[in-house]
Amino acid sequence: MRAYGFVAVLLLAIFGAIGGYQYWRISAFANMDFSPPPVTIAAAEAINESRPQLLTAVGTVKAVRGVDLTSETSGEVTAINFRSGDAVELGQELLVLNDEVEQASRRNQIASLDLAKVLYERDSKLIKQHSIPESQYDRSKADLERARAALAETEARIRNKRIAAPFAGTVGIRQVDVGDYVSPGTHIATLQDLSELEIDFNLPARYSPRLKPGLTIQLSVGAFPERLFDATLLALDAKVDSDTMNLMARARINDSEGLLPGMFANLSIDLGENQSTVTVPETAVTYSIQGNTIWIIENSEGALKVTPRVVEIGAVQDSRIAILSKLGAGERVVTAGQNKLYRGAPVVVDEAVEL
């Protein structure tokens, strides 16, 4: 019995020690802090700035004088007097179609006209002498006019067989070759006067009272990402598009060197007015399909935490972006480290990089 009692006491001591150890471990585990460590970020303060009021738009560059050269008649191409990319002068003959039939008709009609003139001149003398009836003189006069009209018609057909430059400019890629048969409307090449370019674009009609010819415009194109082109608002359309409620506008590009008709451009129109705008560093904005988001730094019970806020953004100027809604001057925003943040995340501001 004494041995059984000793064993029981020993087992009780062993299990008690194990239980005590497990209790200690559980208590220590429960008292541990499992909250994530603060995220180190850079921060900046939203400020008020006085900025020119700008409108943005997208437009298409076009030449003041630009056409697609086409044929008004059908025929075989017998001569091409230009090369792709050539600079051509006003009235320069560019292409000739086969006009053998028209030339033969012209020679025949010249002969008919000469005969009609002779007969008319003879009858003009005879009618004064009362040697012929008045009806014969009228027929001679009518025959002369018909001969002149027939010759003029044939000469017009011959002119249609020759395509000349309607203005000086640069001709594009040639689309036909000698021997090709062309029909009315066949595209031959494009002709563009690159010395004077315009741009057409649309703006919301609500801005029409503030738009007037002469406003300054800057535009950029993908081909010249670091260059800005100056333009001047030239005219506004006389009506608003009832489907889109947009108003079409046209501007003259003042320095168009390097631009080509058909290029898309981003425009910034200066309305000539300043407005107070809340701005933050451009890096403070995170772009996503949910919207343009900024992270607001808030003091919660003595600790800094962040909250995301979807905002409406405006133009970028000097690396600062305008925030058009839901942000006030003086609020602090995250400018670096957003990829580690979540709603309510604790943060620590690295003062060394604060902007």
Side-chain angles (χ1 to χ4, degrees), residues 263-334:
M263 284 183 170
F264 286 101
N266 295 309
L267 296 90
S268 177
I269 303 101
D270 187 351
L271 294 179
E273 306 168 1
N274 287 341
Q275 64 176 0
S276 180
T277 305
V278 177
T279 68
V280 297
E282 189 177 3
T283 56
V285 180
T286 302
Y287 304 94
S288 67
I289 58 175
Q290 287 79 21
N292 303 310
T293 305
I294 57 176
W295 291 87
I296 308 298
I297 303 172
E298 299 173 337
N299 194 326
S300 176
E301 298 179 354
L304 298 181
K305 295 186 178 181
V306 293
T307 303
R309 188 180 297 174
V310 177
V311 296
E312 182 182 353
I313 62 173
V316 177
Q317 183 177 320
D318 298 329
S319 300
R320 295 188 68 87
I321 188 168
I323 306 299
L324 306 181
S325 65
K326 300 182 180 179
L327 183 68
E331 293 191 88
R332 297 178 77 196
V333 299
V334 179

Side-chain angles (χ1 to χ4, degrees), residues 2 19 30 67-68 74 80 85 119 125 140 144 153 155 161 165 189 192 197 207 234 254 263 265 268 330 339:
R2 187 177 298 175
V67 295
D68 288 332
S74 58
I80 297 177
L119 294 176
K125 295 177 181 178
S140 298
L144 176 60
E153 181 181 355
E155 289 179 338
K161 296 286 185 175
Q192 303 290 328
L197 300 183
Y207 293 110
L234 197 61
N254 301 324
M263 284 183 170
S268 177
N339 59 324

